[in-house]
Amino acid sequence: MEKRNNKYQLQLNELSLKDGSSAEKKLSFEFENHDDLFKIFELIKSKNIFEDENTANEFSLGLKLFTEVMLKNKQHPLFEDLRPAITEFMKKLKSQ
């Protein structure tokens, strides 16, 4: 039986660049995640870990994208040293 995941589309648009050059780049891609990301956004916001909503959303999205890549690539040597620390970090975050 195939594992079912939630599907998302991310659209990223440059709004302004620090050097004043024209902000024109765009990136759009689809991805899957085993978690409901919108529930995660709400959960992290409700924990009041960060002072503002944007920071909470950036943290949530970055963490979920990164950890999903780690899960999909469990055996990749790149994550070998990081895996135990991420496991402990996730336990600490969930206990808050």
Side-chain angles (χ1 to χ4, degrees), residues 3 16 31 41 52 68 72 76 85 87-88 91 96:
K3 185 175 179 182
S16 65
F31 63 97
F41 294 147
D52 66 88
E68 192 73 14
K72 290 177 181 176
H76 197 291
T87 300
E88 287 304 310
K91 286 178 187 175
Q96 296 226 339

Side-chain angles (χ1 to χ4, degrees), residues 43-52 56 59 93 96:
L43 180 62
I44 295 297
K45 282 188 270 187
S46 74
K47 291 179 180 269
N48 293 315
I49 298 170
F50 303 102
E51 291 185 21
D52 66 88
F59 171 78
L93 176 62
Q96 296 226 339

